Structure formats: structure tokens, C-alpha cells
């Protein structure tokens, strides 16, 4: 990552809550007897990240729009393949947000925009102030956001990459990622893509035409390209052009979500709420409590 005045860490919180939910044993319960395994796992993750980075500017984005995102209005089938989190996990999401705020870390959440959009909008605003961003997530969708000085960090694998890494992984450049996903689909989000167009074909088409818009304008040329099934590919693109444009409205991360636009708004603070009372409610052990206090103190 090139030089920049400051770096902001933008964390895909929902991903790490779900990971903790699936990886931590169901052996942790709060003072009321409710499971808190995901909260334990998420708290460990957040402590480790803050200890490693000593980040002064940091925010965690959470999803509150699993059925109310603007994308659901555009395309009702969006993410319809996903089951809603069980009630016990919903409770833990709220507690994870409380832990985040108690550690003085900003929480980004909205009922119309997803965590991706909140991170994208924050990154876009901060870039205008000359700041670089590190997106903490393994999600390939974030590749579309990476500028010259930005990085994505898969924390669990400790793997970091910039814009060039997006091309290595997907075969397209950051500005082409939304078009790429619109063409080949994204099963995770229940976006089917253009029938018969896989990842390699999508990357080849974008390498040749540059963008989905140019590809559709010059679709007659596709039949003459040296790609397998070129004529059939051209026919599918003609037939499904409108759908491809619709899918891009889903795959493109929004940059206009209502988020704080300055680094100062994302500066770590003294914490909201009573950390000790929260630890008591969650029945955290003495080691976890002392670790959380040290993180809050900046140690």
C-alpha cells in the first residue's frame, strides 16, 4: 500500500460474527442463560485486531438490512437463498455491537444499506480527504472498492492485497468487479448471472470490452471472439442484456449510504456504555475482562 496521511480500518462485522457463531462451541451463556458463543468469538477477534493494528481510526459495519435492503426492492429474490439468523443469533448481534461501542469503536449500521455499502461509502468519503482504507473481510465483492492506496485484509488467513491482487484472484480490475459478478453471477447473494457465462468467460469479455455497457453495445462482435461457444454467448447476452444490467445494480456497492465522512468521526473514543457491566452480563472470565480493559485503554 502506498503512502497516505492516515489509514482507516473498516471491518465487515457481520462476517466475523457469523464465523464466531459457527466456530465457537455452544458452551458460553450470559447471566440470563442465553447463548453468547458468537459474542465471545467476536470479542476475541476484535481484541486481536485492535492489539495488532493499534488502529486510531476504525469502524465496524453490521447488517441490519437482511430483508429491507434497497436491493430487495429492486430484485425480491436477492439473498432469498439465505435463512434469517435464528433469534438467539440476532440477540448476539446486538451484544456484539454493544461490545464494539464499549471499546470506543464506531458502529456503522442502516436498515436500507448493507454493511458492504456502509464500508464503501465510508471509504469513498475518506478517500476524498486523502485517507487510505484497509477493508477487513474475506468477501470478494469488496475488490471493487480498492484504490491505489487501499488494501483488503483477510484477517483469519492474514492475507492482504491491493488492486493488483483483485486481478490475480478474479482476472478483472477493481472497476470491473461489479460487471464481472453481474455476468457470471454470485451464488452467495442468489444472483444468477447470464446463463452459460462462467467466471473465465466473464473475465475474458471484460478484458476485451472493458465494461458491461460497452460489451452490450458491441454484442454483435462477441460471436467473432476466440472464446469457447462464442456464438451462443453472443445470443445469451442479447437475450439477457436487461437482466445483466439489473444484476449490476445488485452487485455494485453503493457509495451514497449515510455514514460519517471524516476520519475524526471514526477516531477511537473512550467507549460507550459500561464495559464492566457488559462483561458481567456476558459472564466473561477475568482474562477476557482484563484484555478488553487493556484494549479500551489503548494498551
Amino acid at each position: 500500500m502506498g503512502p497516505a496521511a492516515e489509514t482507516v480500518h473498516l471491518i465487515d462485522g457481520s462476517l466475523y460474527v457469523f464465523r464466531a457463531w459457527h466456530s465457537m462451541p455452544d458452551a458460553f451463556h450470559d447471566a440470563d442463560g442465553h447463548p453468547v458463543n458468537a459474542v465471545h468469538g467476536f470479542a476475541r477477534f476484535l481484541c486481536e485486531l485492535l492489539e495488532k493494528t493499534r488502529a486510531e481510526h476504525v469502524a465496524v459495519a453490521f447488517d441490519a438490512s437482511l430483508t429491507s435492503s434497497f436491493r430487495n426492492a429492486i430484485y425480491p429474490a436477492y439473498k432469498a437463498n439465505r435463512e434469517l439468523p435464528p433469534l438467539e443469533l440476532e440477540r448476539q448481534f446486538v451484544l456484539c455491537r454493544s461490545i464494539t461501542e464499549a471499546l470506543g469503536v464506531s458502529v456503522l449500521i442502516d436498515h436500507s444499506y448493507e454493511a458492504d455499502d456502509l464500508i464503501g461509502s465510508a471509504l469513498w468519503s475518506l478517500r476524498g480527504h486523502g485517507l487510505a482504507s484497509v477493508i477487513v473481510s474475506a468477501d470478494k465483492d469488496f475488490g471493487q472498492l480498492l484504490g491505489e492506496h487501499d488494501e483488503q485484509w483477510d484477517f483469519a488467513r492474514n492475507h492482504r492485497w491491493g488492486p493488483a491482487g483483485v486481478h490475480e484472484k478474479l482476472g478483472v480490475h477493481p472497476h470491473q468487479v461489479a460487471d464481472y459478478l453481474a455476468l457470471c453471477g454470485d451464488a452467495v447473494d442468489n444472483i444468477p448471472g447470464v446463463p452459460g457465462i462462467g467466471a473465465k468467460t466473464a473475465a475474458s469479455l471484460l478484458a476485451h470490452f472493458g465494461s458491461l455497457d460497452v460489451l452490450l453495445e458491441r454484442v454483435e462482435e462477441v460471436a467473432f471472439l476466440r472464446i469457447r461457444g462464442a456464438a451462443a454467448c453472443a445470443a445469451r447476452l442479447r437475450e439477457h442484456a436487461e437482466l445483466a444490467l439489473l444484476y449490476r445494480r445488485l452487485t455494485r456497492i453503493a457509495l451514497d449510504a449515510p455514514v460519517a465522512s471524516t476520519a475524526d468521526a471514526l477516531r477511537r473514543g473512550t467507549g460507550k456504555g459500561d464495559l464492566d457491566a457488559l462483561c458481567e452480563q456476558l459472564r466473561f472470565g477475568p482474562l477476557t475482562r482484563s484484555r478488553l480493559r487493556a484494549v479500551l485503554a489503548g494498551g
Side-chain angles (χ1 to χ4, degrees):
M1 189 163 69
E6 290 177 285
T7 300
V8 179
H9 284 77
L10 300 168
I11 302 166
D12 181 9
S14 295
L15 171 73
Y16 293 98
V17 176
F18 275 114
R19 283 193 174 180
W21 166 257
H22 289 297
S23 64
M24 294 291 287
D26 188 15
F28 302 95
H29 296 83
D30 67 10
D32 299 320
H34 295 289
V36 285
N37 58 322
V39 188
H40 274 257
F42 178 78
R44 288 183 193 179
F45 153 73
L46 190 55
C47 281
E48 189 178 342
L49 184 135
L50 294 171
E51 288 162 355
K52 269 188 178 181
T53 61
R54 307 268 176 170
E56 289 183 23
H57 299 92
V58 58
V60 182
F62 290 96
D63 280 315
S65 58
L66 292 175
T67 58
S68 60
S69 158
F70 72 90
R71 292 178 180 83
N72 293 103
I74 295 170
Y75 184 66
Y78 179 69
K79 290 190 177 180
N81 55 332
R82 298 193 195 184
E83 289 185 17
L84 290 175
L87 187 61
E88 290 296 0
L89 181 54
E90 284 284 3
R91 285 186 73 261
Q92 295 198 60
F93 264 104
V94 174
L95 291 165
C96 288
R97 297 202 298 268
S98 297
I99 282 285
T100 303
E101 291 179 330
L103 290 176
V105 174
S106 297
V107 164
L108 308 178
I109 190 163
D110 190 89
H111 286 283
S112 296
Y113 292 94
E114 296 176 60
D116 295 19
D117 305 313
L118 299 169
I119 287 173
S121 300
L123 177 146
W124 194 252
S125 296
L126 295 166
R127 185 180 292 162
H129 293 275
L131 281 86
S133 294
V134 176
I135 300 171
V136 183
S137 178
D139 190 338
K140 66 182 178 301
D141 298 10
F142 285 117
Q144 64 189 276
L145 298 174
L146 299 185
E148 181 186 357
H149 300 304
D150 303 313
E151 276 190 339
Q152 188 169 342
W153 183 12
D154 180 346
F155 188 80
R157 295 185 176 87
N158 196 26
H159 182 210
R160 305 170 77 112
W161 61 93
V166 176
H167 193 270
E168 287 171 21
K169 285 172 179 289
L170 302 180
V172 295
H173 299 289
H175 68 275
Q176 299 172 315
V177 169
D179 290 3
Y180 165 84
L181 293 171
L183 285 166
C184 67
D186 187 353
V188 174
D189 290 341
N190 207 36
I191 299 170
V194 176
I197 294 187
K200 285 187 178 178
T201 302
S204 296
L205 290 169
L206 290 170
H208 185 85
F209 293 100
S211 72
L212 177 62
D213 297 300
V214 174
L215 166 62
L216 295 177
E217 282 169 19
R218 295 165 52 190
V219 70
E220 302 306 326
E221 298 173 32
V222 172
F224 302 101
L225 295 181
R226 296 177 68 177
I227 57 173
R228 184 180 294 177
C233 181
R236 288 192 193 99
L237 284 165
R238 278 194 296 271
E239 183 183 350
H240 297 281
E242 291 301 317
L243 272 179
L245 293 170
L246 168 66
Y247 295 151
R248 187 176 61 186
R249 292 172 66 193
L250 307 177
T251 60
R252 182 180 279 163
I253 291 175
L255 303 176
D256 59 350
V259 295
S261 59
T262 64
D264 276 348
L266 302 184
R267 187 183 295 277
R268 282 185 63 194
T270 54
K272 290 182 184 175
D274 187 334
L275 179 60
D276 287 333
L278 190 55
C279 287
E280 192 68 30
Q281 170 65 25
L282 293 166
R283 295 177 63 194
F284 280 159
L287 287 176
T288 300
R289 295 185 191 210
S290 60
R291 187 181 190 186
L292 286 164
R293 286 191 202 103
V295 167
L296 178 57

